[in-house]
Amino acid sequence: MFDFLTEYDVLGAFWVTVQLTVYSAIGSLIWGTILAGMRVSPVPVMRAFGTAYVNTVRNIPLTLIIIAMSLGLYQTLNVALAGDTITTTNFRLAILGFVLYTSTFVCESLRSGINTVPVGQAEAARALGLGFGQVLRMIVLPQAFRSVIGPLTSVLIALTKNTTVASTIGVAEASLLMSEMIENESDVIGLVFMTFAMGFVILTLPVGLLLGRVAKKAAVKR
């Protein structure tokens, strides 16, 4: 029944999906944390930039952002991100697009976690002479991260599914291979859909269950 799968590199396609997810998740966590710091910063310019960035980027369709990475950065401005081939360049451009987009949701999740930290703790830290950056890094963010593991898990799962958009600029991930298989294997379209649906379930379900348990154990009890 599934003999047709031997003609395609399904595992390779899902490996590209995993790579897209991991690299994009790391970048989104870093940039999203910086944005969250900007949004709660006492500096008006930083706060305004963080607010404008988040409210603008998260309301732009992800497909447009990914296409803009290719048409705008690469084809118009010749920004190749040190890629020596078109395949590598598109892969890196896709990651950049995912980071720019997903970081806005990471930021908002973290900001909600920051708001759960009692104000008295930050005030006590400032009374001891700690600056805003030290308070954020040493006291606020550690507690905020512990309280938003659940929401960040949802963002990670959404990111995994969003990687299918990378196929619009030719990144050879699971969605692109699925499209090719649908064209070539029209008599078993149902099995093709089933195969890729199960693939994404296998990628996301264990992550959700594992991080769900971590969230319960790491929750801040007040």
Side-chain angles (χ1 to χ4, degrees):
M1 183 182 299
F2 290 93
D3 291 342
F4 67 94
L5 292 178
T6 59
E7 301 176 15
Y8 302 93
D9 188 11
V10 177
L11 292 180
F14 273 106
W15 173 239
V16 174
T17 295
V18 171
Q19 289 178 298
L20 283 172
T21 302
V22 172
Y23 292 140
S24 300
I26 294 172
S28 298
L29 186 61
I30 295 172
W31 181 225
T33 302
I34 294 173
L35 287 172
M38 288 182 177
R39 292 214 62 183
V40 298
S41 170
V43 181
V45 174
M46 295 180 65
R47 195 164 58 247
F49 172 82
T51 301
Y53 179 91
V54 170
N55 290 334
T56 301
V57 175
R58 71 175 176 177
N59 288 304
I60 299 175
L62 178 57
T63 304
L64 291 183
I65 293 177
I66 297 299
I67 292 176
M69 293 299 103
S70 180
L71 295 181
L73 286 184
Y74 180 56
Q75 297 186 31
T76 303
L77 301 178
N78 294 320
V79 177
L81 300 180
D84 52 355
T85 65
I86 185 65
T87 300
T88 304
T89 298
N90 284 341
F91 180 80
R92 293 176 180 177
L93 288 171
I95 290 175
L96 177 60
F98 290 134
V99 169
L100 294 177
Y101 180 78
T102 308
S103 60
T104 62
F105 297 94
V106 172
C107 169
E108 289 303 275
S109 296
L110 271 180
R111 192 166 69 94
S112 68
I114 290 173
N115 291 335
T116 65
V117 179
V119 177
Q121 294 189 18
E123 292 177 346
R126 284 195 291 270
L128 293 174
L130 297 181
F132 171 75
Q134 292 174 307
V135 173
L136 194 66
R137 184 177 69 255
M138 299 169 60
I139 296 172
V140 176
L141 281 181
Q143 296 183 69
F145 272 111
R146 290 178 63 183
S147 64
V148 297
I149 294 176
L152 288 179
T153 300
S154 298
V155 172
L156 176 60
I157 292 174
L159 171 61
T160 304
K161 293 182 288 186
N162 285 343
T163 56
T164 57
V165 179
S167 63
T168 58
I169 59 173
V171 178
E173 46 75 56
S175 176
L176 188 65
L177 179 61
M178 183 181 72
S179 299
E180 178 186 342
M181 291 174 66
I182 289 174
E183 292 179 4
N184 298 336
E185 310 291 340
S186 57
D187 54 331
V188 287
I189 289 181
L191 294 179
V192 172
F193 279 119
M194 184 185 304
T195 299
F196 284 89
M198 287 304 301
F200 277 98
V201 168
I202 292 171
L203 288 180
T204 57
L205 185 59
V207 172
L209 294 175
L210 175 62
L211 293 182
R213 295 189 62 180
V214 172
K216 290 181 180 179
K217 290 183 176 296
V220 179
K221 298 180 180 179
R222 305 190 187 282

